[in-house]
Every structure is written in C-alpha cells, then in structure tokens.
Amino acid sequence: MRRLENAFVTLNGIVLVLGLMVMSVILGWNVLGRYLTGNSLTWADEVARYSMIWLTFLGSGLALREGAHAAITNAQDAMPGPLQHALRVLILLALLGFFAFMVWVGIDYMNRMAVQRSAALRVPMKWVYAAMPAGFALMIVHLALMAPRYLRAGLQHSEETALG
C-alpha cells in the first residue's frame, strides 16, 4: 500500500511539474515574441490563466499532505490522548465532508458552464471549471491515504507527552 501511495504522490508531483513547465514555456515564448516582433500569441494568456487554475487545484492535495494549508494545532496538541484522538477523527470527518461537498458543487458548477466557451481558444469552460471537482477529489484521495498516519501521530504525540 505504501508503494502505491508513493507512486500516486510522485505522479501528482510530475503532473504539476510538467504543467508548470508547459505554462512557463508558453508564457516565455509569448513575452519573447512580444518584445522581439511586437506580436504576441492571442491564446497564451488564456492558457496561462487556465493552467494556473488547474495547477492550483491539482497541487492542493500535495499541500494538504505537507501541512501547507492553514491549521491551528495548539488546542489539539494541548489535549489529553483520547480527546486529541477524538478531535483528529472529527477533523478528518469534517475535511472529508467538506471535500466531498466541494466535488459536488464543482460538478454542478462545471455542468452549468457547459455552454460557455473561452474567448481565445473556444474551449468549453466546462473543462476549465472541471479543475475544482478534480482537485477536491484528489484531496479526498490524499486525505484517505494519510489519515491513518495522522491518527497515529496524535496518539504517539500524546504518549510522548505522558512519558515526558
């Protein structure tokens, strides 16, 4: 299971790096063309904007895994073991519920935008808005994979505090 999780995290990171590389090349080419020839690609800004949206949502699961989202751990760390464990379970359930709700909202919003098209690329905006449910679905997977360690870390932390 651990090997599968590492492959999933690695694949998620590779997709982000490749997406950022493509976005950088397109923007660099556009800037270079603008200053050397006075012309720019009409679609480059749109690609960059939509790439950034997708990269943000696809990277949010890795940010969750690294603890990069806002969190307040002082109250949790000050609690005794069983209460801290219960709070961690509550936090996991609240996050899971929120992420699932956002997948549902994202799919609904994506479907509402199905008829609209982007200005330069004429891409259905549905695919731009699909970043939201895709990103939150990835966050659910990351949360499920890291939940056992998150719960064990709380128990280990409380045992160390009791011993120390």
Side-chain angles (χ1 to χ4, degrees), residues 64 94-104 136-137 139-140 143:
L64 175 72
L95 286 173
L96 181 63
F98 175 72
F99 296 162
F101 175 73
M102 293 308 291
V103 168
W104 179 73
F136 277 103
M139 288 180 77
I140 289 172
L143 184 67

Side-chain angles (χ1 to χ4, degrees), residues 40-55:
S40 64
L41 303 169
T42 57
W43 47 267
D45 292 334
E46 203 170 273
V47 168
R49 183 179 321 116
Y50 300 152
S51 297
M52 184 61 71
I53 291 167
W54 269 93
L55 291 171

Side-chain angles (χ1 to χ4, degrees), residues 1-162:
M1 186 64 171
R2 189 77 168 155
R3 186 178 292 161
L4 184 63
E5 181 179 356
N6 287 339
F8 175 71
V9 170
T10 301
L11 181 63
N12 194 174
I14 289 170
V15 168
L16 290 174
V17 168
L18 291 175
L20 190 57
M21 285 173 44
V22 168
M23 186 178 77
S24 298
V25 167
I26 290 171
L27 282 177
W29 186 264
N30 196 38
V31 168
L32 191 65
R34 188 177 299 149
Y35 286 107
L36 292 180
T37 66
N39 296 320
S40 64
L41 303 169
T42 57
W43 47 267
D45 292 334
E46 203 170 273
V47 168
R49 183 179 321 116
Y50 300 152
S51 297
M52 184 61 71
I53 291 167
W54 269 93
L55 291 171
T56 299
F57 279 106
L58 294 179
S60 62
L62 292 176
L64 175 72
R65 181 175 284 281
E66 296 295 321
H69 294 287
I72 301 172
T73 59
N74 292 346
Q76 172 180 293
D77 291 342
M79 292 181 172
L83 199 55
Q84 185 183 102
H85 184 72
L87 180 61
R88 283 178 177 251
V89 169
L90 183 66
I91 289 169
L92 284 173
L93 291 175
L95 286 173
L96 181 63
F98 175 72
F99 296 162
F101 175 73
M102 293 308 291
V103 168
W104 179 73
V105 167
I107 290 171
D108 180 53
Y109 201 68
M110 181 183 85
N111 289 331
R112 290 175 191 235
M113 297 296 121
V115 295
Q116 186 179 0
R117 294 191 174 272
S118 67
L121 294 171
R122 305 302 302 157
V123 173
M125 291 302 289
K126 169 183 191 166
W127 299 114
V128 175
Y129 288 104
M132 183 177 169
F136 277 103
L138 277 175
M139 288 180 77
I140 289 172
V141 174
H142 280 288
L143 184 67
L145 290 172
M146 62 186 263
R149 281 189 307 283
Y150 174 70
L151 292 173
R152 277 195 309 272
L155 292 174
Q156 290 169 354
H157 178 71
S158 63
E159 290 170 5
E160 291 171 6
T161 307

